[in-house]
Amino acid sequence: MEQHERKAHKVAFETEFLVLEDNGAVSSRVDDIMKIARKTDLDFFLRKEYTHNMLEITSNPNVKVRKSAHAWLREMRKVVEIAKKIGLRLYPYGTYTGTFAPTARTDKYYRMCETVLGPSRYVRSTGRSIGFHLHYCLPYRTFNRQTRRLATLFKSKYKEELLNVYNLILALDPAMTNFMESSPFVDGVYHAKDSRLFLYRSMTLNKKDRYLEGLYADREIWGGLPRYAHSITDLIMLTEKRYRAWMGLLKREHPEYLRVARTRHPLQFNWSPLRINKLGTFEYRGMDMNLPSHIIGTSLLFKSLFKKVRSEEITVRPCDIGIKEPFKIEGQNMYVPPYHYLDEKLQYYSALKGFEDAEVFKYSKSMASLAIKAMPNRKDPGISKILQMLESRKTKSDELLARARKRGQDIRERLDEGVAQEMALEACDEFEKELEILPDKELLIDLMEE
């Protein structure tokens, strides 16, 4: 068992959905689904989200659980059937195509977040952002499961594995968000190829008539793209810094929420694209939600590169070479862009233009080529989806924009609500179709258990 844990490369999916009525309008009846699901034999967790409009379905990256992708597909089919029996549908993309007013829950934790970050901004951003979180198990002995904290290590190859995977995830962010982008519309208006990033992160979009300010635009410590880490001590101290900053703000301005904050683990005060979770996983939170084929294909890219970096003991090295030749491997070094280039240029243009930007496209293609080359075989529906996007240079956001134009919509204007609802139901149909087809396929991600 110990040897298996040392080699484990388990992944898990954390998937969020907007719930729709059968006419395509956003519904607030999530609790009706959860009530029925509690009486059903489900292996995954159904969790309530910030609003009554959103549902979260989560798996667990346990080394005893095999074929995690097939398990997720099987469970999703059950949840879809539960929803359809009461006239509801699961919408799978990063933002809704039309307009709706999120109906927030009254839990004290959410009230605390609203108060600290600004009620209107919190509702606008968190209530409209539907994401996919990928979990990947931390290397052996790097996490203390009793204290649920990172272990302080000095000389250990597992420590180096942790740092290299952590830095690799950060470097992958602009590419992975491209492959998963599905959020061109906010309140029926086209803003960017990945509008969700501008809604949620510490980013601001200010282009003529397009303006979005991220939830963490002035709170970067909690929601910005983290810097590369050079030691486990860096990560431990950053966790403590975030927690102290939150608690200090509450003491000064909102002491009524101190008791609520103290019930939360310090690792939870990180809403950035990447955090180390109290469960002992890397939790990459950067991507839009999308179809199962996109989820599986993108997760395969991650898993392939994680295995390569760990098994070949590659050092992920931010430097200027990584700008011109991203993901180039030379000896035991993999070159990735310096942090500020990653944060200020690649992240921004990836969200704004996606594959339309030549440098972002080159960056994504370089990463995907390296990952696919390292796979034991390449016949997989998820990888076919990745290759299709690279060949056409079109993502799901591009498809959604094309569908709106085909219906006679001027994407510089707000979508007609009837068209938006029609497109939303079309997305639900796409999702359900893949849930019918993919479980019968052999999935490479489930064959790469170790």
Side-chain angles (χ1 to χ4, degrees):
M1 182 64 178
E2 179 180 291
Q3 183 66 21
H4 184 68
E5 287 180 348
R6 290 187 185 195
K7 298 191 300 179
H9 297 283
K10 294 296 298 182
V11 297
F13 303 154
E14 186 175 328
T15 47
E16 297 171 348
F17 298 89
L18 205 60
V19 176
L20 308 184
E21 297 289 343
D22 56 14
N23 66 353
V26 176
S27 173
S28 59
R29 293 197 288 139
V30 167
D31 290 351
D32 291 349
I33 297 175
M34 296 186 70
K35 184 177 179 180
I36 299 171
R38 290 189 191 102
K39 303 174 184 177
T40 307
D41 182 25
L42 288 175
D43 294 329
F44 285 15
F45 302 104
L46 267 65
R47 303 184 192 277
K48 62 184 180 182
E49 265 291 346
Y50 167 59
T51 74
H52 291 277
N53 316 107
M54 295 168 64
L55 177 68
E56 179 185 303
I57 300 161
T58 306
S59 61
N60 183 8
N62 191 303
V63 293
K64 296 179 182 178
V65 178
R66 299 187 66 80
K67 298 191 174 180
S68 54
H70 272 102
W72 178 78
L73 290 166
R74 182 182 65 246
E75 297 301 288
M76 283 308 314
R77 285 170 69 167
K78 293 179 185 177
V79 178
V80 165
E81 287 307 310
I82 290 171
K84 292 181 80 171
K85 284 178 181 177
I86 56 175
L88 298 175
R89 309 288 296 276
L90 298 189
Y91 177 79
Y93 297 145
T95 54
Y96 182 58
T97 42
T99 62
F100 76 103
T103 54
R105 296 185 183 273
T106 58
D107 301 47
K108 290 182 179 179
Y109 170 74
Y110 293 127
R111 287 288 175 257
M112 174 183 70
C113 294
E114 282 180 3
T115 302
V116 171
L117 299 170
S120 60
R121 178 184 287 184
Y122 195 78
V123 172
R124 179 174 174 79
S125 298
T126 307
R128 288 177 171 81
S129 299
I130 302 117
F132 166 59
H133 300 179
L134 179 73
H135 289 255
Y136 177 67
C137 58
L138 294 176
Y140 180 66
R141 285 186 175 174
T142 58
F143 190 77
N144 186 320
R145 298 197 178 276
Q146 278 68 48
T147 63
R148 294 192 298 173
R149 283 173 166 80
L150 283 172
T152 302
L153 300 173
F154 295 95
K155 291 185 178 180
S156 167
K157 73 172 186 177
Y158 303 116
K159 176 198 74 171
E160 298 304 323
E161 283 184 14
L162 183 146
L163 293 172
N164 285 314
V165 172
Y166 183 91
N167 291 336
L168 176 62
I169 294 173
L170 294 177
L172 293 175
D173 177 73
M176 294 305 189
T177 54
N178 271 182
F179 288 120
M180 288 290 284
E181 67 184 16
S182 63
S183 58
F185 301 106
V186 179
D187 280 337
V189 176
Y190 169 51
H191 284 83
K193 293 295 182 68
D194 200 333
S195 302
R196 191 187 65 86
L197 265 62
F198 286 109
L199 266 180
Y200 194 78
R201 295 191 183 184
S202 59
M203 301 169 65
T204 300
L205 173 64
N206 191 1
K207 293 283 186 180
K208 296 181 180 178
D209 57 340
R210 292 181 292 170
Y211 182 81
L212 289 176
E213 186 175 61
L215 177 58
Y216 301 98
D218 57 353
R219 307 283 190 181
E220 189 170 353
I221 186 174
W222 295 306
L225 187 70
R227 293 176 179 271
Y228 295 117
H230 301 287
S231 70
I232 284 187
T233 301
D234 284 345
L235 297 176
I236 292 172
M237 294 187 72
L238 181 57
T239 296
E240 293 172 352
K241 182 178 180 181
R242 288 188 182 111
Y243 182 67
R244 286 197 309 269
W246 189 270
M247 297 301 287
L249 192 152
L250 291 183
K251 287 176 183 177
R252 291 191 306 273
E253 301 178 21
H254 309 289
E256 68 273 21
Y257 290 113
L258 281 169
R259 183 175 296 180
V260 177
R262 287 179 180 131
T263 66
R264 297 280 169 159
H265 193 281
L267 287 171
Q268 291 181 267
F269 292 86
N270 174 10
W271 298 277
S272 73
L274 173 60
R275 71 179 175 192
I276 290 175
N277 195 287
K278 65 176 182 176
L279 300 176
T281 67
F282 293 106
E283 181 184 347
Y284 175 56
R285 304 158 43 84
M287 297 175 283
D288 285 358
M289 186 56 194
N290 211 312
L291 298 179
S293 58
H294 288 69
I295 288 172
I296 292 168
T298 309
S299 299
L300 259 173
L301 298 181
F302 271 114
K303 193 167 187 176
S304 175
L305 291 175
F306 293 164
K307 290 189 72 170
K308 183 176 183 65
V309 164
R310 290 178 64 185
S311 63
E312 298 179 22
E313 298 184 2
I314 291 172
T315 298
V316 176
R317 194 173 297 283
C319 64
D320 291 336
I321 298 173
I323 297 174
K324 293 294 183 182
E325 300 180 87
F327 306 105
K328 177 181 180 180
I329 295 178
E330 194 170 66
Q332 296 303 112
N333 294 315
M334 176 188 289
Y335 300 124
V336 298
Y339 172 76
H340 286 293
Y341 194 84
L342 183 78
D343 180 55
E344 296 172 19
K345 185 164 185 178
L346 289 174
Q347 179 186 214
Y348 180 83
Y349 285 104
S350 170
L352 181 64
K353 295 185 175 182
F355 286 162
E356 280 186 57
D357 184 272
E359 186 170 359
V360 170
F361 177 73
K362 174 189 171 185
Y363 190 82
S364 302
K365 187 174 182 180
S366 296
M367 179 278 299
S369 298
L370 178 62
I372 292 171
K373 184 178 180 181
M375 291 177 189
N377 66 66
R378 300 163 198 178
K379 292 182 179 180
D380 183 272
I383 291 305
S384 296
K385 182 65 68 174
I386 296 293
L387 294 173
Q388 178 186 326
M389 282 190 278
L390 289 172
E391 182 178 354
S392 65
R393 208 158 166 170
K394 302 291 183 185
T395 65
K396 183 56 66 178
S397 285
D398 291 305
E399 288 182 27
L400 293 173
L401 291 168
R403 290 175 193 176
R405 293 189 189 99
K406 189 175 181 180
R407 288 173 165 87
Q409 300 293 294
D410 182 348
I411 62 169
R412 294 170 297 181
E413 305 293 335
R414 190 181 304 274
L415 293 186
D416 174 82
E417 201 62 28
V419 169
Q421 292 180 7
E422 183 181 305
M423 289 177 62
L425 289 175
E426 188 175 44
C428 298
D429 291 340
E430 287 182 294
F431 179 69
E432 291 167 17
K433 183 178 180 180
E434 288 204 358
L435 288 181
E436 289 299 316
I437 295 171
L438 288 179
D440 296 328
K441 304 282 187 180
E442 186 174 68
L443 302 177
L444 179 56
I445 193 167
D446 282 339
L447 302 177
M448 295 170 63
E449 289 296 330
E450 296 183 357

